[in-house]
Each structure stands twice: as C-alpha cells, then as structure tokens.
Amino acid sequence: MHYTNPIISGFHPDPSICRVGDDYYLVTSTFEYYPGVPVFHSRDLVHWRQIGHCLTTPSQLPLENSWSSGGIFAPTLRYHNGWFYMVTTNVSGMGNFFVKTQHPEGSWSEPYLVAQSGIDPSLYFDEDGRVYFQSAMDGGQGNGIYQCEIDIGTGEMLTGSVLIWTGTGGAHPEAPHLYRKNGWYYLMIAEGGTEYGHMETIARSRQPYGPYAACPHNPILSNRSTAISIQATGHADLVEAQDGSWWAVCLGIRPVSYPMGHHLGRESFLAPVTWTSEGWPVIGNGGHIEPVMDSPLLPEVRWPAKPVRDHFDDTRLGLDWTFLRNPAEGSWSLEERPGHLVLHGHEATLNEAAAPAFAGRRLSHFTANIAAELDYEPQHEGEEAGIAVYKNEKHHYELVIRSVSGRRAAVFRRTVGSLRVEHVEECPDGPVILRIKALPGSIEASVEAPDCGVIELGAGETHYLSTEISGGFTGVFVAMYATSVTGHGAPAAYDWFDYEPLDQPAV
C-alpha cells in the first residue's frame, strides 16, 4: 500500500503531532488568520479530518496589530495526563503562550503566558515531572535553542533560559522538539530557513540541558538540490505509532513554475523514520521525502469526502472558513438572511493590513472549480463584493460586482505590487454566479449573469501570487469579500459557495 504526499494540502505549515492511544492529532500555523491553529484527527496517519481550532476567541487570538505573515507562528501539540497542550507564539501580540483542553475538538483554555521569548516554542514532559520549555531565540548567549523549566499550571518560569544548542551552522536554527528514547534526550531542530535550503538536524545528550552532540549524518531530512517535486522540507515533528514504528510530519512546498514558484503555501507531509544501529533517526528515503511512499501498517480509516457546495444552512460557519484577522463586528452574518452568508463591506480593503469583510478558505489544489452565487446591488461608487484570490495586501486578484459610472459592472482586478490592471464588463441586475477556475499556472475569472450567459473576464498568473514573488509565510486563499468607502455597504448575500478539487493523485 502507498500514500500520496502531502497528507494535508494547501497552506498548513509547521505541523506538530501527538498520539493518544490509536488516535493522532495534528496542528499547524495560521499567522494572521482567525480562528487560529486548526486541529486535525487521524487514525492511520494518512487520512486526516479537521475537528476544530485551538484559538477561537479574540482573547486567545488578538490580531488587530498583526502584519501580513505576523500573528501565530509555529505551534507544538503535546498530550500529558489527560490534557492536550498547544504552545505557540503570537509575534504581533502576547508572545509565547500555551492553551490546554481535555477535548481537542472543543474549546481550549485562555492563554497561559510564558516569559521566555523567541519563536517556535515546544514542551517536553519528563518522567520526573519536570516540564521543559524550548524556543528559538537570539539571547545573551547567542543565537540558537534556549530552554527553561516551567510550572505547567501557571506558565511561570522556574529557571532561567539556557542556550542548549546552536545547530550545525545552518541559518536560523529554530523549531526545536525534545524527545527521549533509550536513555537519550534527542533535540531536533530546523535549519537553513523555511526556503529551498531548509533541512532538519538532530543532536542528543544524556541530560536535558546537554551538552548535545550532533548526529554524524546530519541533516536527517532535506530535499535541497534534488529534482524531487517536493522542496523546502523541514520543521519536522516525530511520533511513535502504536505498532512501534516511527513517523515524521514536516512542512514542504510544491513549486509549479520556473523560475521556482509555489502559491499553495507550505503544506504538511508524512514520512517514515528509521533508526540506525547507533541510535540516530533517518527521515524518509535516505533523508528525502517523496510524493508517493509506503503506507503505515495501520488499519486504514478514511473520512467522508467534503461536499463540493456549502449552502450556508447551518448556524455556524464550517471549519474550512476563516477570517483575515479578527472580523469587524457586524461584517458577516448567517442569520440576517437564512440560507445565505451575508457580508457587509466597510472601509477596510484588501490593499492594507486590516480586517475587511472577508470569509475565505485555503486554495488547497492546483486545479479546482470555484464558484459562488451572489445577490448584491451596489448603491455607490467605491463599494464592491465578490470573490478574492488573496495572498497578501500587495498580491491578490478579485472578481467583483461594483458600480462603474452609475452602471452595474463585473470587474476582474489583478494587483501585483504597485501595478494594478482591471478588466470591466457591463453586468445586468440580479443574482450572478461568480466563477474562478484555478489552474497550476493561472487563475481564470468569469461571471454568469441572467439573460447574457457567461462573461469571460480574463486570467492572472499564479506565479505573481507565489511566495517567491510576494514574500511571507502564507498561501493563497479564495474568499468571499466586500468593501465600501462609505463604511456601510449594501449587503452582499452569498447563497452558496462551491469548491471542487480537480487534481489527480500522484501514482
């Protein structure tokens, strides 16, 4: 049996994993998106379903000061004595903190702050009851991985911060995770930056504070300088399965253009882990992750396929939907017009680091049909509603309905840095169907309107939405979106939204 990477596609970076009996749980980074830190569940390590989020309230996740690719950095998920702990960094707010719960699909606690600075925090619960906290920081002893002990009941530091490893010399030693196996403490980190030189390295010691000796065959994972379609692998976490086998989850990217460009974001991948006779781990096939690999020897458990169409008939938005920062009060509703998602545009737009009326989901496939039925009659120049294909405030495309010189129009706009191009076609009154065709190299836009059929509005290159062009750490979202220069836009009512993946699995 084989499985296909990635195991969670689209913008799901920095995966962290834990096992509880026969169940596996995984979390990923979310940066400026709300709610934060999705929680996934699996029984076989290959098939995953989202069951919730860790950060679902403004007190847990204040994002009003978040710049693009700010907010929530890499989380770590651990389980101890009946409790799940998720520790992370809000780089735009409270710094390092953790939340906890006994039910990962439900609500999580208010944040427990940890005074040690840095990013990419991790927890290790030792057998003697001590709890060690690690983070990547540039401290008084230099740049590397620092560790302290904390009171897990309060987050209080019980010791000072100590530099325990600087890595093997690669840039940006980060993403620490501490494990214990056969009397050794293993400290695994990422180096090389989360880009094409990314790699995973490891060291070990008999004591939690070291000294740590580096593995002689580091890096234990890297796809750099290979022709493999998966690149930038790193930021890994290890888990031991119930059958005694070991596995790693990590991030990676799938470039689709030349020069190299990836627009789906950093995704979550799975690879087997073998241990040498000297007690060192090797991830994947000789340190490489492949698109197709041998499946775990665990009973396969698949989850029901997601429906293509969201009818917005429930009282709560589905778990796929996220907002850009904390949504403004009154900017969206499922109750105002039952069976519809209604957006109320206000002054915020996609061209600034703000919180516009925006309900989006990750573009998780290279090829997909995306559509929505929109009932919207703009009342003034300078207000619009439609679908956005969004990377950040300087790189996004919009397919919108707006008023142009007093006439209703369909507009496809491409914003790339300081350049902006629009294609405008007159559009009759009444509900319209907005259509986006996602292809590996392009985003195609059209509108289907009553009495005039399909109006083709052009295309934009995905390369201009890639991280290599736009920068940052996120991936592309497709979102329902509205804005108004008056601050009180006409209601934009979306009757349904389709997301139909068309990618063919690797063979």
Side-chain angles (χ1 to χ4, degrees):
M1 295 287 292
H2 300 88
Y3 69 91
T4 301
N5 271 312
I7 52 169
I8 304 176
S9 59
F11 163 56
H12 292 103
D14 310 320
S16 180
I17 190 171
C18 71
R19 178 175 67 88
V20 182
D22 293 341
D23 294 283
Y24 298 86
Y25 299 90
L26 183 149
V27 295
T28 64
S29 300
T30 44
F31 297 90
E32 67 267 34
Y33 290 94
Y34 179 94
V37 187
V39 184
F40 296 89
H41 171 236
S42 177
R43 301 296 300 274
D44 61 11
L45 287 170
V46 172
H47 302 98
W48 294 86
R49 60 171 178 172
Q50 188 177 349
I51 59 173
H53 289 89
C54 295
L55 307 175
T56 58
T57 67
S59 61
Q60 294 171 319
L61 184 55
L63 291 170
E64 59 270 15
N65 296 320
S66 174
W67 54 90
S68 291
S69 292
I72 293 296
F73 276 27
T76 295
L77 182 66
R78 295 294 181 256
Y79 178 80
H80 180 70
N81 285 348
W83 288 88
F84 293 84
Y85 296 85
M86 189 283 296
V87 59
T88 188
T89 315
N90 185 339
V91 299
S92 309
M94 65 184 72
N96 286 324
F97 68 95
F98 64 86
V99 292
K100 66 180 184 178
T101 187
Q102 292 183 303
H103 305 287
E105 73 283 0
S107 60
W108 292 64
S109 71
E110 288 299 301
Y112 294 80
L113 304 184
V114 180
Q116 180 165 299
S117 62
I119 61 169
D120 300 358
S122 188
L123 292 173
Y124 177 71
F125 294 87
D126 211 347
E127 298 168 355
D128 61 5
R130 295 182 177 181
V131 181
Y132 296 96
F133 177 95
Q134 305 84 30
S135 65
M137 58 185 283
D138 191 359
Q141 298 169 269
N143 185 25
I145 307 305
Y146 283 73
Q147 180 171 270
C148 69
E149 296 171 43
I150 66 169
D151 181 341
I152 198 61
T154 65
E156 178 186 2
M157 290 176 60
L158 302 177
T159 68
S161 301
V162 177
L163 178 67
I164 57 173
W165 196 36
T166 59
T168 64
H172 309 298
E174 58 191 7
H177 292 307
L178 190 65
Y179 313 91
R180 193 172 184 181
K181 185 177 186 292
N182 296 334
W184 290 101
Y185 291 89
Y186 288 87
L187 179 60
M188 189 172 72
I189 71 171
E191 298 185 51
T194 183
E195 49 202 35
Y196 288 91
H198 209 196
M199 59 181 172
E200 199 72 14
T201 61
I202 198 165
R204 69 184 181 188
S205 173
R206 292 294 186 183
Q207 305 296 329
Y209 284 101
Y212 280 89
C215 172
H217 60 258
N218 276 324
I220 60 172
L221 167 67
S222 184
N223 278 18
R224 62 188 182 187
S225 300
T226 69
I228 301 172
S229 60
I230 301 164
Q231 289 291 313
T233 52
H235 204 115
D237 198 6
L238 303 180
V239 66
E240 184 179 8
Q242 60 266 42
D243 64 359
S245 62
W246 284 76
W247 295 83
V249 292
C250 73
L251 67 78
I253 62 174
R254 292 182 292 163
V256 295
S257 60
Y258 183 81
M260 288 284 211
H262 70 285
H263 62 281
L264 297 187
R266 298 171 299 160
E267 304 173 291
S268 290
F269 295 79
L270 176 73
V273 177
T274 55
W275 295 84
T276 70
S277 58
E278 292 79 24
W280 293 106
V282 178
I283 298 177
N285 295 334
H288 302 309
I289 288 183
E290 304 283 351
V292 178
M293 306 192 79
D294 291 335
S295 295
L297 299 178
L298 301 174
E300 184 181 73
V301 178
R302 293 177 177 264
W303 309 112
K306 292 181 181 179
V308 167
R309 177 162 295 183
D310 191 332
H311 290 278
F312 304 120
D313 290 334
D314 294 334
T315 58
R316 300 175 63 182
L317 278 176
L319 294 174
D320 281 340
W321 296 108
T322 62
F323 302 101
L324 184 54
R325 303 177 182 85
N326 305 111
E329 185 176 356
S331 63
W332 69 280
S333 174
L334 288 170
E335 300 174 353
E336 179 177 332
R337 186 171 171 181
H340 295 73
L341 174 65
V342 178
L343 297 183
H344 286 273
H346 50 89
E347 295 95 335
T349 73
L350 297 178
N351 300 319
E352 55 195 321
F358 176 110
R361 56 150 298 152
R362 292 157 175 83
L363 180 63
S364 297
H365 302 83
F366 292 123
T367 308
N369 287 327
I370 299 155
E373 182 175 308
L374 173 62
D375 188 2
Y376 173 67
E377 296 298 331
Q379 301 300 307
H380 308 282
E381 300 275 342
E383 65 179 58
E384 62 186 34
I387 295 179
V389 182
Y390 179 84
K391 179 61 162 61
N392 59 34
E393 70 270 21
K394 294 184 178 180
H395 297 83
H396 49 87
Y397 304 150
E398 297 96 69
L399 171 61
V400 297
I401 303 299
R402 67 178 304 170
S403 178
V404 177
S405 301
R407 303 178 74 97
R408 190 172 186 253
V411 180
F412 183 51
R413 180 189 305 116
R414 286 145 288 182
T415 298
V416 179
S418 61
L419 304 178
R420 184 168 298 165
V421 178
E422 290 187 344
H423 184 87
V424 181
E425 293 283 349
E426 188 171 333
C427 184
D429 292 342
V432 296
I433 297 175
L434 308 172
R435 297 192 183 277
I436 294 289
K437 175 79 170 185
L439 298 168
S442 65
I443 300 294
E444 299 178 351
S446 62
V447 172
E448 186 176 338
D451 303 325
C452 66
V454 176
I455 305 170
E456 300 289 347
L457 290 165
E461 299 89 335
T462 60
H463 190 70
Y464 292 130
L465 304 178
S466 70
T467 295
E468 288 79 356
I469 296 296
S470 65
F473 303 125
T474 60
V476 167
F477 277 69
V478 288
M480 294 164 286
Y481 160 73
T483 188
S484 171
V485 294
T486 68
H488 304 284
Y494 296 82
D495 187 17
W496 49 261
F497 188 100
D498 284 357
Y499 183 93
E500 181 186 11
L502 299 176
D503 286 0
Q504 297 298 316
V507 294

